[in-house]
RNA sequence: GCCCGGAUGGUGGAAUUGGUAGACACGCAGGACUUAAAAUCCUGUGGCCAUUGCGGCCGUGCCGGUUCGACCCCGGCUCCGGGUACCA
């Protein structure tokens, strides 16, 4: 017995089951078909489950996957979980539950939710970064990084053994590498170094290495954080304060790849904004490194500075070093010892947050030392100030107050000389610096009269000939901190033998996480693993107890999907060669400077060591926008009455400090969809508010319309409903704002096909937009109309091939095939939905019952609404899944049936559009068009319904 | 501050990149069916004027420019979103 009405629950359940039972979407690593790889950024399985924002990208990628399958591609479309990370561990600390347990639970929940939406993932390829069989290979990649260095001569990673061989033969004088400067030594010296000394030197070359530096230390989380994990001086997760602290840390030498990461951007199809963010993050700047000899230095040293403006060197009136500069203490003379040393101490110990919030504040101190200007020989003072950063360039600058606003502010504050060296009629450099990179040099000896660009070139030439320095390039990009003092991450496969870090052997992989009693960080800067003596102590030495950061596992997961169970390699060569780089990658833009950069780095490295044939992981990247929620806030002013809590709501908040801002459950807010009406909580809302929140049970509420309500509302429900005004804003969808919309609820009420279509219909994929339920009815109605095209009210299948298709129906069909095909390719999925709606409206109006036409329409719709299309496809008598059907062939001839474009000839002479519009009026053109022989022949006696005349454009006639 | 985006009806958004602006949908108004409601269907819907008829004028944040023709290109603003922040 077939259903007569569109029953989404029945249909969707049936087909999801069928797809699973028949492994419909499982793919092989081999096929005569061309390969196409569609990937979603895999989720971190949080305890909150999915909300309607998460599937947005998954739906889009699913549509692309299904579309590609219809077009004859063998599509790899996998899904997995980024399962290591802080929240699971925080939860473990609170509850004592093993993170693996909660992670497993969360994954199951995610899977259930995803299954309801009808994705075409090949679940046989699922990966989880926390599984030993997976992180074995994350550890393996780390080991490769440890045993390779970056040869700047060949511009690629090479094995460390090759480097050692070079050292043994000729020392390090000819070696150019990416990394910190290493004092030069000859072969003989190398051979005489002891093991610890040798390793100490090699650490400057390895791509994974240990270094003592100032790190971002977060006391609350008990761990070190990477730069990207710190936002505005607080941790991205949790928002805890972050301070600078010197510690020995593992790093990955991503800076070695700075230039290649920059160059690679030109070869990939990503949005300009993401590329731009990465370019800025890498922050390449060209300039010069110049030595300024320090006057009266016992060791006769020179202060090395970096500048992008060597052309302004004649304007350098003082020097500034960072408080962290190695020589600061040496530079401070006895006379200034007390004051300046105190300043240095103070500046070093300031938290990141303080430093950031007081950026505008100019601070500094004079060291008492001078150095000699290399061009003029003048003595210029050396200052120390925190506006110079220890971590960039050499941690020292030449200050040119006339042409750098920061130097200018400093000079003003401490009354230092300002010398103009770039000509500009408008600028008064005593008042304001002239920073623009334009103009001609003045007061600059041999540079005078040159344009900035030429002056820079000439200055560098001079610097290089006089051996004062050299032209060079600096990057903002820093090496990536890789150690985390946490439990729930991949153990770093290193054992310290007599303090020398050594990799464990390949056969010991995976190095699995031991069980611990307590997941809490030790607070001493050591991870919880340090407490497990039996694990830490090995025959040969002590294990590294730091674990890897969250981004380690996600930097290469796209490779594992190709061959997820391989235990001999990250994936077989055949699999990697067959699938190649990801063709289409979809995910949020928030990973621009994290995951997306690290993945590119690891890909380039794996390419260098011949593990993979490509050196960019993601050929095309699309960033879906965020689906936001409406955040409703109730403002309550607390007033004391008789020791009870007495709250007053407000319709206008003049001084926010007087009020408590409390997020409230969106479901109980009235009118929040309408923008013109103020939104408010009604009685029911206040009740639910009291249920959800502690401490308000016996509170007294006074709403702004003057009505008093007691804690239980009894007897207070008068004719006038009390109103508590709330304030609406658009924000994140999150548990704490009580505005989460669960996709399960939408699937239950409207169905997965409606959810899929509606999420696409909301607007352009890349835009962020607030979730709103208004409008979903339109999409649901569309599916019901589609159903009715095929199934009559008695449940009979209507379409037949008894009569040939009408021209107008063919036109509708082919317009749809064309438009939807084009729009999927340019990822304009919202317009596809409109196209479907138009088609169904037209088919309905045409009373189209042609089976061939309607079946082809089903194939076009199937990527968006697979369940209903499968069902109708089956009822049409097909034994095989619609997923195996070929995309219909588009035929242009069907589109030109009742309207046609014509060039216009007048008096036997074809006129150009331009000539026409210039010489004739609109009416005259219309007349000429109708008189045209071709037009008359085509009209064949009929009179045109509409003559559209656009001056300058080919005329369009509608009959 | 600097670097990217963006601004179109009451709302979400179309206009395939210089060629009929406002597709499609929501909302709203009116109507049909119904005892009634739901569901469904039909009509109207940028603004102003004309509406016994075809119609007219203005309209894509603001000002100016290029063009036969501009939401689209150029110059100058205003506002909004994102990235970044003493990077020399």
């Amino acid at each position: 017995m077939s259903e007569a009405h569109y029953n989404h629950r029945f249909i969707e359940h049936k087909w999801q089951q069928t797809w699973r039972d028949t492994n419909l979407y499982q793919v092989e690593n081999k096929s005569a078909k061309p390969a196409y790889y569609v990937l979603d950024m895999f989720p971190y399985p949080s305890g909150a489950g999915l909300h309607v924002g998460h599937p947005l990208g998954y739906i889009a990628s699913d549509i692309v996957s299904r579309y590609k399958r219809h077009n004859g591609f063998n599509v790899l479309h996998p899904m997995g979980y980024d399962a290591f990370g802080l929240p699971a561990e925080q939860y473990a600390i609170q509850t004592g539950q093993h993170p693996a347990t909660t992670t497993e639970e969360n994954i199951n929940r995610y899977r259930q939710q995803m299954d309801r939406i009808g994705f075409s993932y090949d679940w046989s390829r699922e990966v989880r970064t926390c599984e030993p069989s997976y992180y074995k290979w994350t550890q393996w990649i780390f080991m490769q990084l440890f045993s390779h260095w970056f040869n700047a001569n060949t511009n690629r990673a090479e094995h460390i053994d090759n480097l050692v061989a070079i050292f043994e033969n000729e020392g390090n004088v000819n070696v150019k590498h990416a990394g910190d400067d290493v004092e030069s030594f000859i072969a003989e010296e190398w051979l005489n170094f002891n093991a610890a000394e040798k390793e100490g030197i090699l650490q400057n070359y390895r791509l994974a290495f240990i270094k003592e530096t100032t790190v971002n230390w977060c006391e609350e989380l008990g761990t070190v954080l990477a730069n990207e994990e710190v936002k505005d001086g607080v941790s991205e997760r949790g928002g805890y304060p972050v301070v600078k602290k010197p510690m020995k840390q593992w790093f990955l030498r991503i800076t070695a790849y700075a230039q290649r990461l920059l160059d690679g951007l030109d070869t990939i199809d990503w949005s300009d904004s993401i590329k731009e963010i990465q370019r800025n993050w890498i922050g390449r700047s060209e300039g010069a490194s110049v030595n300024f000899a320090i006057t009266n230095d016992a060791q006769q040293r020179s202060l090395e500075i970096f500048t992008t403006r060597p052309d302004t060197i004649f304007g350098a009136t003082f020097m500034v070093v960072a408080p962290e500069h190695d020589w600061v203490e040496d530079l401070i003379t006895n006379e200034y010892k007390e004051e300046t040393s105190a300043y240095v101490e103070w500046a070093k110990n300031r938290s990141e947050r303080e430093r950031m919030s007081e950026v505008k504040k100019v601070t500094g101190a004079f060291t008492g030392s001078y150095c000699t200007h290399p061009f003029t020989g003048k003595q210029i003072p050396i200052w120390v100030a925190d506006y110079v950063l220890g971590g960039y360039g050499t941690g020292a600058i030449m200050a040119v107050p006339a042409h750098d606003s920061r130097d200018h502010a400093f000079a003003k504050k401490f009354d230092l000389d300002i010398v103009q060296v770039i000509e500009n009629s408008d600028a008064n450099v005593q008042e304001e610096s002239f920073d623009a990179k334009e103009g001609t040099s003045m007061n600059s000896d041999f540079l005078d009269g040159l344009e900035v660009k030429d002056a820079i070139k000439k200055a560098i030439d001079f610097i290089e000939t006089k051996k004062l320095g050299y032209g060079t390039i600096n990057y903002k990009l820093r090496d990536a901190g890789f150690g985390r003092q946490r439990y729930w991450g991949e153990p770093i496969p290193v054992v310290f033998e007599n303090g020398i870090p050594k990799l464990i052997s390949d056969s010991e992989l995976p190095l699995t996480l031991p069980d611990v009693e307590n997941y809490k960080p030790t607070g001493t800067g050591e991870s919880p693993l340090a407490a497990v003596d039996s694990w830490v102590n090995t025959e040969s030495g002590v294990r590294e107890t730091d674990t890897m950061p969250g981004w380690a596992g996600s930097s290469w997961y796209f490779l594992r999907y190709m061959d997820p169970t391989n235990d001999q390699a990250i994936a077989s060569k055949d699999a990697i060669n067959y699938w190649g780089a990801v063709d289409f990658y979809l995910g949020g833009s928030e990973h621009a400077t994290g995951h997306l950069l690290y993945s590119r780095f690891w890909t380039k490295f794996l390419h260098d060591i011949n593990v993979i044939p490509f050196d960019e992981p993601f050929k095309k990247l699309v960033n879906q926008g965020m689906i936001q929620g409406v955040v409703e806030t109730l403002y309550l002013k607390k007033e004391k009455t008789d020791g009870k809590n007495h709250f007053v709501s407000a319709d206008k908040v003049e001084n926010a400090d007087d009020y408590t801002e409390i997020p409230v459950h969106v479901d109980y807010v009235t009118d929040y969809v309408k923008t013109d009406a103020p939104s408010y909580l009604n009685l029911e809302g206040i009740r639910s508010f009291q249920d959800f929140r502690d401490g308000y049970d016996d509170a007294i509420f006074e709403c702004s319309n003057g009505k008093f309500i007691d804690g239980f509302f009894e007897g207070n429900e008068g004719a006038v409903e009390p109103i508590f005004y709330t304030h609406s804003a658009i924000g994140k969808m999150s548990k704490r704002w009580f505005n989460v919309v669960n996709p399960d609820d939408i699937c239950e009420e409207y169905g997965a096909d409606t959810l899929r279509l509606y999420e696409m219909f909301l607007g352009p994929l890349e835009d962020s937009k607030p979730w709103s339920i208004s409008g979903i009815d339109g999409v649901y109605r569309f599916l019901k109309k589609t159903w009715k095209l095929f199934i009559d009210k008695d449940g009979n299948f209507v379409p037949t091939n008894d009569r040939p298709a009408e021209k107008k129906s063919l036109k509708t069909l082919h317009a749809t095939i064309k438009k939807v095909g084009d729009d999927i390719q340019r990822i304009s999925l919202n317009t596809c939905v409109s196209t479907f709606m138009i088609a169904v409206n037209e088919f309905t109006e045409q009373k189209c019952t042609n089976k061939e036409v309607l079946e082809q329409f089903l194939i076009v719709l199937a990527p968006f609404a697979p369940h209903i299309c499968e069902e109708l496809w089956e009822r049409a008598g097909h034994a095989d899944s619609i997923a195996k059907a070929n995309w219909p062939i588009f035929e242009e001839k069907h589109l030109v049936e009742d309207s046609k474009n014509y060039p216009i000839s007048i008096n036997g002479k074809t006129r150009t559009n331009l000539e026409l519009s210039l010489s004739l009026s609109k009416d005259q053109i219309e007349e000429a068009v109708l008189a045209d022989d071709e037009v008359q022949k085509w009209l064949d006696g009929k009179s045109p319904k509409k003559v559209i005349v656009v001056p300058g454009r080919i005329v369009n006639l509608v009959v």
Side-chain angles (χ1 to χ4, degrees):
Chain A
M1 169 60 194
S2 291
E3 291 267 353
H5 299 289
Y6 172 50
N7 180 343
H8 64 261
R9 289 191 195 94
F10 171 77
I11 293 170
E12 289 173 2
H13 184 259
K14 168 182 167 186
W15 286 103
Q16 284 164 10
Q17 185 102 31
T18 306
W19 297 336
R20 197 174 316 135
D21 293 348
T22 57
N23 292 324
L24 182 64
Y25 301 115
Q26 203 167 315
V27 286
E28 300 299 319
N29 287 343
K30 222 178 200 171
S31 170
K33 296 175 182 175
Y36 196 83
Y37 189 173
V38 180
L39 182 66
D40 291 294
M41 288 187 188
F42 64 168
Y44 174 81
S46 85
L50 294 174
H51 62 65
V52 287
H54 292 105
L56 182 72
Y58 306 156
I59 293 168
S61 67
D62 198 59
I63 289 167
V64 172
S65 302
R66 289 174 181 273
Y67 172 76
K68 281 286 171 183
R69 274 188 213 110
H70 286 308
N71 279 280
F73 288 86
N74 190 34
V75 177
L76 176 58
H77 186 41
M79 181 46 91
Y81 304 95
D82 186 15
F84 272 134
L86 277 177
E89 186 170 311
Q90 295 286 65
Y91 191 72
I93 291 167
Q94 285 159 24
T95 64
Q97 277 202 69
H98 196 284
T101 315
T102 48
T103 301
E104 171 90 27
E105 283 168 10
N106 293 346
I107 285 176
N108 292 339
R109 171 113 193 269
Y110 268 57
R111 176 65 192 275
Q112 259 179 348
Q113 288 185 296
M114 283 195 265
D115 280 349
R116 288 201 72 170
I117 304 173
F119 295 128
S120 61
Y121 293 122
D122 177 356
W123 283 106
S124 71
R125 292 171 183 264
E126 181 198 288
V127 301
R128 302 176 182 189
T129 56
C130 66
E131 293 286 337
S133 61
Y134 180 90
Y135 68 67
K136 171 181 179 177
W137 298 104
T138 311
Q139 290 171 332
W140 181 83
I141 295 170
F142 171 85
M143 293 184 18
Q144 307 313 306
L145 286 160
F146 183 85
S147 48
H148 284 80
W149 65 293
F150 194 87
N151 185 339
N153 283 320
T154 57
N155 200 25
R156 54 175 292 179
E158 292 179 12
H159 202 277
I160 201 85
D161 290 349
N162 300 346
L163 182 67
V164 171
I166 295 170
F167 288 170
E168 283 168 357
N169 282 320
E170 50 175 68
N172 71 346
V173 282
N174 295 321
V175 173
K176 257 179 78 186
H177 74 297
D180 297 314
D181 288 339
V182 181
E183 277 187 43
S184 59
F185 53 81
I186 57 169
E188 212 181 338
E189 289 174 294
W190 171 260
L191 293 169
N192 287 327
F193 290 140
N194 65 33
E197 286 168 335
K198 281 180 178 166
E199 183 55 37
I201 287 168
L202 290 176
Q203 285 289 321
N204 291 301
Y205 294 84
R206 296 185 188 278
L207 289 174
F209 62 101
I210 302 173
K211 190 180 173 183
E212 166 139 358
T213 52
T214 36
V215 295
N216 303 306
W217 172 256
C218 179
E219 190 64 46
E220 294 293 323
L221 297 174
T223 188
V224 167
L225 298 172
N227 290 338
E228 310 77 72
E229 292 167 319
V230 183
K231 293 261 142 72
D232 302 323
V234 296
S235 65
E236 195 179 25
R237 236 177 240 293
Y240 304 115
V242 172
V243 295
K244 291 278 179 195
K245 184 173 170 178
M247 266 179 99
K248 273 203 165 177
Q249 282 304 310
W250 280 98
F251 282 91
L252 297 191
R253 207 179 297 282
I254 189 173
T255 51
Y257 284 87
Q259 190 58 48
R260 278 173 59 186
L261 288 168
L262 212 47
D263 295 341
L265 290 174
D266 296 331
T267 68
I268 49 182
D269 181 12
W270 291 17
S271 75
D272 288 339
S273 75
I274 293 278
K275 287 188 185 182
E276 207 49 38
I277 290 169
Q278 291 210 347
R279 281 193 194 100
N280 290 339
W281 189 260
I282 296 166
R284 178 192 155 105
S285 40
E286 290 179 36
S289 182
V290 191
N291 289 306
F292 284 62
I294 303 168
T295 317
N296 299 327
D297 180 41
Q299 301 168 57
Q300 302 205 336
R301 289 177 297 195
S302 288
L303 196 56
E304 189 186 357
I305 60 101
F306 174 74
T307 177
T308 55
R309 296 294 302 275
D311 59 313
T312 62
I313 194 163
F314 286 94
T317 52
F318 58 101
M319 311 293 288
V320 187
V321 296
E324 297 86 6
H325 197 281
D326 287 344
W327 302 348
V328 166
E329 286 309 317
D330 299 343
L331 290 170
I332 300 172
T333 59
N334 286 334
E335 194 184 341
Y336 291 90
K337 198 106 223 160
E338 204 173 320
E339 191 189 334
T340 305
S341 294
Y343 171 75
V344 169
E345 248 347 270
W346 171 81
K348 270 184 171 173
N349 288 323
R350 280 172 93 198
S351 73
E352 272 297 280
R353 193 187 220 166
E354 278 176 312
R355 207 173 147 146
M356 282 174 154
S357 62
E358 292 172 11
V359 157
K360 290 282 172 298
K361 213 166 157 186
V362 180
T363 64
F366 181 42
T367 60
S369 295
Y370 289 83
C371 59
T372 310
H373 193 293
F375 283 29
T376 65
K378 274 188 193 151
Q379 292 301 297
I380 56 177
I382 304 172
W383 287 67
V384 53
D386 70 351
Y387 82 89
V388 172
L389 303 176
Y392 182 78
T394 59
I397 61 152
M398 66 173 197
V400 185
H403 305 290
D404 182 289
S405 51
R406 295 154 304 179
D407 297 343
H408 193 272
F410 196 80
K412 275 286 184 193
K413 164 119 185 190
F414 295 103
D415 201 20
L416 298 157
D417 290 346
I418 299 170
V419 176
Q420 182 172 8
V421 290
I422 303 288
E423 197 138 23
N424 185 289
S425 53
D426 301 334
N428 175 1
V429 297
Q430 296 305 323
E431 287 310 314
E432 200 179 355
S433 65
F434 177 72
D435 293 18
K437 243 177 162 172
E438 58 192 40
T440 52
S441 292
M442 60 186 277
N443 296 332
S444 294
D445 196 353
F446 63 93
L447 298 175
D448 282 353
L450 290 174
E451 284 293 320
V452 168
K453 244 175 106 185
D454 302 323
I456 289 176
K457 214 176 275 165
K458 193 159 181 186
I460 292 177
D461 281 349
F462 183 83
I463 289 161
E464 286 182 347
T465 356
K466 297 281 176 186
K467 299 226 182 311
L468 297 166
Y470 49 92
T472 186
I473 293 156
N474 253 304
Y475 299 91
K476 280 194 243 178
L477 187 69
R478 311 291 170 82
D479 284 328
F482 198 67
R484 294 292 183 276
Q485 295 69 46
R486 304 297 302 224
Y487 173 73
W488 193 229
E490 302 88 345
I492 292 177
V494 164
V495 172
F496 290 91
E497 298 176 14
N498 302 317
I500 300 172
K502 300 262 177 158
L503 294 175
I504 64 173
S505 73
D506 281 2
S507 61
E508 289 174 82
L509 290 180
L511 174 61
T512 52
L513 265 176
D515 280 330
V516 295
E517 280 170 27
N518 191 349
Y519 304 103
K520 228 178 179 142
T522 57
T524 60
E526 281 188 309
S527 95
L529 293 181
V532 190
D533 290 341
S534 60
W535 186 81
V536 172
N537 298 305
T538 72
E539 279 176 30
S540 52
V542 292
R543 286 194 197 283
E544 171 60 61
T545 56
D546 279 7
T547 54
M548 300 186 195
W551 51 266
S554 62
S555 292
W556 70 281
Y557 75 110
F558 55 95
L559 297 169
R560 190 63 179 170
Y561 285 132
M562 297 174 180
D563 194 6
T565 55
N566 194 319
D567 62 357
Q568 299 301 308
I570 61 174
S572 75
K573 285 264 180 215
D574 285 349
I576 294 171
N577 287 332
Y578 176 68
W579 293 112
V582 175
D583 292 288
F584 183 82
Y585 194 33
L586 212 149
S589 57
E590 67 272 20
H591 299 107
T593 56
H595 162 64
L596 288 170
L597 201 59
Y598 295 129
S599 301
R600 295 184 60 222
F601 163 38
W602 282 33
T603 299
K604 287 179 189 301
F605 171 69
L606 292 172
H607 174 256
D608 284 357
I609 64 170
N610 298 317
V611 173
I612 54 177
F614 44 88
D615 88 331
E616 282 292 343
F618 316 120
K619 290 189 229 170
K620 180 177 174 67
L621 170 73
V622 171
N623 304 112
Q624 91 273 24
M626 225 194 312
I627 291 197
Q628 298 145 314
V630 177
V631 177
E632 291 287 348
T633 316
L634 180 64
Y635 283 84
L636 288 178
K637 192 180 207 167
K638 194 170 175 178
E639 286 180 5
K640 255 193 165 164
T641 359
D642 307 331
K644 279 188 171 179
N645 283 324
H646 180 177
F647 294 99
V648 181
S649 123
D651 52 0
K652 207 163 71 183
V653 178
E654 265 152 19
N655 186 0
D657 292 344
D658 297 343
Y659 294 87
T660 321
E661 294 176 45
I662 306 159
V664 290
H665 209 294
V666 172
D667 290 354
Y668 297 107
V669 176
T670 312
D671 283 349
Y672 71 91
V673 184
K674 291 183 190 167
T675 48
D676 47 347
S679 47
Y680 60 90
L681 273 184
N682 54 19
L683 206 54
E684 195 187 357
I686 284 289
R687 276 203 183 114
S688 107
F689 169 70
Q690 285 183 299
D691 284 347
F692 276 110
R693 239 55 62 85
D694 291 337
Y696 293 97
D697 288 349
D698 61 350
I700 295 172
F701 292 92
E702 184 186 344
C703 52
S704 53
N705 60 5
K707 204 167 155 69
F708 277 90
I709 307 295
D710 75 15
F712 300 94
F713 304 111
E714 278 163 28
N716 275 302
E717 294 170 50
V720 182
E721 183 163 45
I723 288 175
F724 296 86
Y725 285 97
T726 62
H727 298 255
S728 304
I730 302 299
K732 267 196 172 164
M733 215 176 249
S734 135
K735 257 186 172 172
R736 65 183 286 227
W737 302 121
F738 301 96
N739 60 358
V740 173
V741 182
N742 190 325
D744 292 347
D745 297 340
I746 308 291
C747 287
E748 182 59 27
E749 196 174 345
Y750 295 97
D753 286 336
T754 301
L755 176 71
R756 293 168 62 105
L757 283 162
Y758 184 55
E759 292 220 5
M760 293 303 101
F761 187 65
L762 272 176
L765 184 62
E766 307 211 5
D767 289 2
S768 285
K769 52 238 157 190
W771 173 261
S772 151
I773 196 75
S774 74
I776 199 166
D777 286 326
V779 172
Y780 191 55
R781 234 169 260 153
F782 155 75
L783 285 174
K784 283 194 280 193
K785 282 186 213 164
T786 306
W787 181 264
K788 279 196 211 160
L789 276 177
F790 291 83
I791 309 294
D792 70 15
K793 61 183 188 322
D794 302 319
N796 301 313
F797 189 81
V798 176
T800 65
N801 283 328
D802 293 352
R803 272 167 296 155
E806 284 186 60
K807 278 183 180 176
K808 53 190 181 184
S809 295
L810 285 169
K811 187 190 171 187
T812 300
L813 174 68
H814 285 269
T816 306
I817 296 167
K818 174 90 165 91
K819 178 117 175 75
V820 171
D822 289 353
D823 285 353
I824 291 177
Q825 281 177 40
R826 60 187 185 104
I827 320 297
S828 173
L829 305 179
N830 54 330
T831 52
C832 291
V833 182
S834 296
T835 308
F836 292 133
M837 290 178 173
I838 294 168
V840 166
N841 286 343
E842 286 179 5
F843 285 141
T844 307
E845 197 178 320
Q846 293 158 9
K847 299 199 167 43
C848 175
T849 56
N850 186 274
K851 193 175 172 212
E852 219 171 301
V853 166
L854 292 173
E855 277 182 355
Q856 293 200 24
F857 174 73
L858 277 186
I859 300 169
V860 180
L861 178 62
F864 289 77
H867 310 86
I868 188 176
C869 292
E870 283 278 25
E871 177 68 18
L872 294 171
W873 187 253
E874 186 191 53
R875 293 207 195 186
H878 296 274
D880 223 342
S881 165
I882 195 169
K884 302 203 170 157
N886 289 324
W887 189 259
I889 293 161
F890 163 69
E891 289 177 58
E892 183 130 32
K893 66 176 183 195
H894 295 301
L895 297 194
V896 287
E897 285 305 310
D898 60 357
S899 88
K900 206 162 182 179
N901 288 322
Y902 273 100
I904 301 145
S905 63
I906 293 167
N907 302 331
K909 190 177 157 199
T910 309
R911 308 288 290 265
T912 67
N913 303 322
L914 190 59
E915 284 169 334
L916 268 178
S917 63
L918 284 174
S919 56
L920 302 171
S921 72
K922 202 175 157 182
D923 291 344
Q924 285 174 308
I925 296 170
E926 193 174 316
E927 212 173 294
V929 170
L930 292 174
D932 181 74
D933 287 349
E934 275 283 307
V935 174
Q936 279 304 323
K937 207 166 100 192
W938 180 70
L939 283 172
D940 194 26
K942 290 173 284 187
S943 64
K945 205 190 287 176
K946 210 172 173 187
V947 184
I948 301 165
V949 180
V950 183
R953 193 184 165 214
I954 290 168
V955 174
N956 189 262
L957 295 177
V958 179
V959 179

